[in-house]
Amino acid sequence: MDEIAILKRKLQRENLARKQAESILESKALELYKANELLRELNQNLESEIAIRTKSLVDSEEKYRTVIEQAKDIIYRIDDEGYFLFINKIGIEKFGYTEEEIVGKRYIEFIPEDDLETEFAYYTEVRDSEAATDYHEFRIVSKDGKIFWVGQNVNRITNQDGTIYFTAVARDITRRKATETALDKAKIELQKSEIKYKGILENMELGLIEVDTKGNILRVYDIFNKMLGYEGNELVGKNANKTLLV
């Protein structure tokens, strides 16, 4: 009878231990389930956030590209060796090449031969000086051989890995350059005319002076000085009406 009682108590203890173990397993399983649910929810939130940010980035990229493509200026990027990474639509039109014929090519391939040495020295100096920004005017030759001037603002960009590239906004200034050249020629011709005019006056036996609108003497010719007994620029700066008229 005692042995049966002992077996019953042993069986009861084993049942109790099994129930406790099952309870613990159920509790741990529930914790694991909750943890998995939380992790799944976090993953869903993360995926949703990534999707939102990706869409926002894509939208921003599209807006940025739209602005660049609609810009009236030439916009492009080149690496530290001067190879084109990107060029916008108007730049492609100005160069006269296709995008595939520009991107991947080096800038010096589009520079007139006479300017190669100067422009290579300029680019090397800007790159090695680590200047953040710079403005430069130079000539470009298009695919059909036409040469035009551009004025560019360039900015240095440094990547996280330390590599650099340059972004540039350039404008066609060919017409302005032509105007400046015409003005320079006109100034040279005017200077030649003035020299010729003054030479003629110097050789004429006339007593002449030059005055401004108020009668102040600007220049006195030698014959005039000799006629009135003055020397050099003695009369320059004085008022002709007050000094010479009696």
Side-chain angles (χ1 to χ4, degrees):
M1 199 69 181
D2 291 337
E3 291 181 2
I4 294 175
I6 290 172
L7 289 173
K8 287 182 177 180
R9 285 196 296 271
K10 185 178 179 180
L11 184 59
Q12 288 175 350
R13 286 196 299 270
E14 289 177 354
N15 288 335
L16 180 61
R18 187 177 66 253
K19 289 180 178 180
Q20 289 176 342
E22 290 175 351
S23 177
I24 292 172
L25 287 174
E26 289 179 0
S27 176
K28 294 298 182 182
L30 180 60
E31 290 179 4
L32 182 60
Y33 172 77
K34 290 181 177 179
N36 286 335
E37 285 296 304
L38 179 60
L39 181 60
R40 186 177 63 82
E41 184 178 348
L42 289 174
N43 284 336
Q44 287 179 343
N45 291 338
L46 182 59
E47 290 174 359
S48 177
E49 184 176 352
I50 290 174
I52 293 172
R53 291 189 178 183
T54 301
K55 185 178 183 304
S56 177
L57 184 61
V58 170
D59 291 343
S60 297
E61 180 77 16
E62 289 178 353
K63 289 179 181 178
Y64 171 73
R65 185 170 290 274
T66 298
V67 170
I68 288 180
E69 293 300 343
Q70 291 180 349
K72 295 182 179 180
D73 295 326
I74 303 169
I75 300 175
Y76 58 89
R77 290 197 302 268
I78 56 176
D79 65 15
D80 60 339
E81 293 298 328
Y83 288 91
F84 280 89
L85 303 173
F86 165 81
I87 185 167
N88 69 340
K89 184 177 179 181
I90 191 170
I92 294 171
E93 293 174 353
K94 284 289 183 181
F95 278 70
Y97 293 88
T98 65
E99 184 176 5
E100 292 75 17
E101 291 175 319
I102 299 175
V103 174
K105 298 295 194 303
R106 206 174 187 192
Y107 73 97
I108 56 174
E109 296 184 41
F110 307 98
I111 300 295
E113 187 174 352
D114 293 343
D115 302 346
L116 285 177
E117 185 176 348
T118 300
E119 295 309 321
F120 182 78
Y122 159 77
Y123 180 82
T124 302
E125 180 181 357
V126 170
R127 182 193 62 189
D128 297 344
S129 68
E130 298 185 356
T133 60
D134 189 73
Y135 177 78
H136 183 56
E137 296 179 354
F138 60 100
R139 299 194 304 168
I140 286 177
V141 57
S142 63
K143 188 173 183 178
D144 61 4
K146 181 181 178 180
I147 294 177
F148 62 96
W149 280 89
V150 296
Q152 77 168 16
N153 286 290
V154 63
N155 293 279
R156 173 192 296 264
I157 307 297
T158 303
N159 295 313
Q160 291 183 346
D161 61 2
T163 58
I164 66 169
Y165 65 91
F166 297 94
T167 61
V169 178
R171 179 166 295 182
D172 188 341
I173 58 171
T174 305
R175 186 172 297 179
R176 196 203 79 196
K177 280 291 186 179
T179 301
E180 290 177 354
T181 300
L183 288 174
D184 289 340
K185 289 182 179 179
K187 287 179 182 179
I188 292 173
E189 292 301 319
L190 181 60
Q191 289 172 351
K192 289 180 179 179
S193 296
E194 288 179 350
I195 292 172
K196 182 178 180 180
Y197 166 72
K198 289 178 180 179
I200 293 172
L201 292 180
E202 290 284 1
N203 293 322
M204 293 176 66
E205 295 296 322
L206 296 175
L208 301 174
I209 61 172
E210 294 179 8
V211 298
D212 61 19
T213 56
K214 295 181 180 180
N216 296 315
I217 299 173
L218 302 175
R219 179 183 174 87
V220 180
Y221 290 85
D222 291 339
I223 300 299
F224 187 90
N225 277 333
K226 290 178 181 179
M227 291 173 61
L228 297 185
Y230 291 99
E231 295 182 358
N233 294 324
E234 185 178 351
L235 291 174
V236 174
K238 296 181 180 180
N239 187 276
N241 295 325
K242 296 179 180 179
T243 304
L244 302 177
L245 296 180
V246 179

